[in-house]
Amino acid sequence: MHLKGYVKNKGEIKMSISLSGYSVGPLLYCPATNTSIYYSLISEKFGTGYSLAFCLEDTIADRHVEMAENLLAETIQKLYSYRQEHDFFLPKIFIRVRNAGQIPKMFKKIGQASCLVTGFNIPKISLENTDAYITELLKLNHTSTFYMMPIIENPDIIPMLQRQDILYGLKEKLDTISSLVLNVRVGGNDLCHAFGFRRRNNESIHSIGPIHQIFSDVMTVFGMNYVISAAVWEYYRGEGWDTGLQAELLEDRLNGFIGKTIIHPNQIPLVKEAYRVPKKDYDDARQILGWEKDAHTLVLGSISGERMNECKTHSNWAKRIMMQAEAYGVEE
C-alpha cells in the first residue's frame, strides 16, 4: 500500500511534523452550555498555556443542541466584545461539532466573533464522514485559516482485519489538507466504552491491551507526519488522582503522544509540567542538530557525558525535542 505524506530518501522514511501541532498543549473540554466559562477566561482563572474545546457533541443531550449552539455563540461573542477593550490570555478555541453541517451553522451564529475560533474537533472521524468535514473546512479557509483536529475513536477501527485499511484511508484523505490538520487525537473513553472498560486512578490506559494496541497502530500510521495527542484522563480530585495522571503522562510521552485532552482545570499544570523538556535532552538535541557536516564522525558522547548521541539515528528525536521545548519550555 502506498503511504502518501511520508518523505522517502534512499529507503529512509523521514519525519515531517511542524511546530504548530505542539502548540495546542493541554486541551480543556467544556460543555457548550457552560456560560460561566466566560468569567473564568476574562479573569485568567485557569492561568495560561492551554487550549479550550467547547463541546456540542457527547456532553450535550440531543434535545438541547439548538440551545447549546445559541449559548456557545453568545459566549464567544461576549469574549470578542470584551477583548476589544481588555487584554487577557485567550486560549486557542476549538468547537467540537456533531457533524459537518454544524460547522457553517455555528459560523453563521457566531458572526464576526468567529475570528476567535482556531478550529474544530472532529469526533468519531471515519472514512464516511471525512470528506464532508474537509469540504466544509476548505470553504471557511477561503478568507481565514481554520484548523481541524480529527479524533480517532470510532469503534469501526476495533476489528483488526479492517483497522489497517481504515487508518491508512483516513490518512490519505487528511494528507490532502495536512497543513490544516493541527494534530490528530485519540479518544480513549469511546474505545473503552466499546469493551466496557474503565481504568482506576492508579491505572494507565496504556496497560489496557486492546486499547494500547489501537493507539500503537494509530501512532504507526500517523506519528511520523502528525502530532498525536493523548487520551483524556477523567480524574481531577480525590486521593491519588494527580500521581495517576503523572504516571500516565510518562507513558504517553514514551509512546510518542504529545499533549492531552483534559476535563478539569486542576489537570492543566500537571500536563504542562510533564511535557517540559529535560535540560539534558534539550542540550543533546542542540548538539545533534548542530552537527558539523564535515565532521569526521557521526557519534559523540552527550553533553552530560552519560549517553551516546548519533547524528543520523537521533536527528528526528532531536527535531521533536526542539519543537516540544519551544511549546512547553525547558526544565532547569
Side-chain angles (χ1 to χ4, degrees):
M1 181 179 294
H2 179 59
L3 310 185
K4 290 187 177 180
Y6 291 146
V7 181
K8 296 186 178 181
N9 182 26
K10 295 182 179 179
E12 180 184 5
I13 299 180
K14 291 190 174 182
M15 182 187 70
S16 57
I17 293 175
S18 66
L19 173 64
S20 58
Y22 287 80
S23 67
V24 178
L27 180 65
L28 177 63
Y29 264 41
C30 174
T33 51
N34 183 350
T35 55
S36 66
I37 191 72
Y38 164 77
Y39 301 101
S40 297
L41 291 174
I42 64 174
S43 65
E44 296 187 350
K45 181 179 179 180
F46 306 146
T48 62
Y50 68 97
S51 298
L52 179 67
F54 285 105
C55 182
L56 287 167
E57 199 226 5
D58 285 347
T59 62
I60 305 299
D62 294 345
R63 64 184 181 277
H64 295 310
V65 173
E66 187 75 22
M67 176 191 70
E69 291 174 345
N70 293 334
L71 288 174
L72 174 55
E74 181 181 340
T75 296
I76 294 178
Q77 288 164 353
K78 287 172 63 178
L79 287 170
Y80 178 80
S81 297
Y82 188 83
R83 204 159 195 246
Q84 302 308 301
E85 300 181 3
H86 301 84
D87 185 27
F88 63 98
F89 171 77
L90 186 67
K92 288 182 175 64
I93 292 177
F94 300 89
I95 300 175
R96 177 179 169 120
V97 294
R98 288 178 163 235
N99 52 63
Q102 205 170 35
I103 292 177
K105 184 179 181 182
M106 286 308 303
F107 260 71
K108 185 176 180 180
K109 286 177 180 285
I110 296 170
Q112 65 178 350
S114 61
C115 63
L116 298 187
V117 177
T118 300
F120 302 89
N121 277 27
I122 311 301
K124 301 173 181 62
I125 193 80
S126 69
L127 293 178
E128 290 72 31
N129 63 25
T130 302
D131 290 340
Y133 280 116
I134 290 175
T135 297
E136 294 300 337
L137 190 68
L138 290 176
K139 288 179 182 178
L140 294 183
N141 277 274
H142 284 160
T143 55
S144 301
T145 301
F146 298 97
Y147 298 93
M148 73 154 62
M149 295 196 295
I151 308 170
I152 300 179
E153 59 185 351
N154 197 312
D156 65 359
I157 64 170
I158 292 175
M160 296 174 62
L161 291 178
Q162 64 191 45
R163 186 184 309 153
Q164 176 176 317
D165 289 340
I166 292 174
L167 291 178
Y168 280 116
L170 287 173
K171 185 177 184 300
E172 185 171 356
K173 290 175 181 291
L174 293 173
D175 281 348
T176 64
I177 58 160
S178 58
S179 64
L180 300 178
V181 179
L182 200 53
N183 62 40
V184 174
R185 315 188 73 84
V186 291
N189 282 350
D190 279 78
L191 294 173
C192 284
H193 168 68
F195 292 94
F197 297 157
R198 189 177 191 182
R199 66 198 187 280
R200 297 184 178 89
N201 67 359
N202 63 347
E203 297 171 334
S204 167
I205 198 165
H206 299 286
S207 297
I208 305 175
I211 307 302
H212 175 73
Q213 185 175 346
I214 293 171
F215 286 178
S216 179
D217 289 345
V218 171
M219 184 62 64
T220 298
V221 174
F222 290 91
M224 284 178 282
N225 302 97
Y226 298 93
V227 174
I228 316 294
S229 183
V232 67
W233 176 263
E234 59 188 358
Y235 297 93
Y236 57 88
R237 286 199 186 101
E239 184 178 357
W241 77 268
D242 49 351
T243 55
L245 172 56
Q246 290 168 330
E248 182 166 287
L249 283 163
L250 287 174
E251 292 197 50
D252 289 341
R253 282 182 57 172
L254 181 61
N255 286 280
F257 295 92
I258 300 294
K260 200 167 184 69
T261 300
I262 58 176
I263 45 81
H264 194 278
N266 285 351
Q267 300 172 335
I268 292 174
L270 275 72
V271 175
K272 289 169 58 178
E273 181 63 27
Y275 285 106
R276 291 180 68 200
V277 172
K279 184 67 162 54
K280 292 179 181 179
D281 286 353
Y282 180 74
D283 289 341
D284 284 357
R286 291 187 63 186
Q287 181 192 65
I288 291 164
L289 296 178
W291 219 285
E292 294 294 336
K293 292 183 179 180
D294 297 329
H296 69 280
T297 180
L298 296 177
V299 60
L300 190 67
S302 66
I303 300 296
S304 63
E306 297 176 347
R307 60 184 176 183
M308 178 182 68
N309 286 336
E310 292 187 67
C311 178
K312 287 186 176 181
T313 305
H314 297 130
S315 59
N316 282 345
W317 169 85
K319 293 172 186 175
R320 285 182 178 270
I321 288 296
M322 296 304 290
M323 289 187 284
Q324 188 175 328
E326 185 164 343
Y328 289 92
V330 180
E331 295 177 2
E332 295 300 328

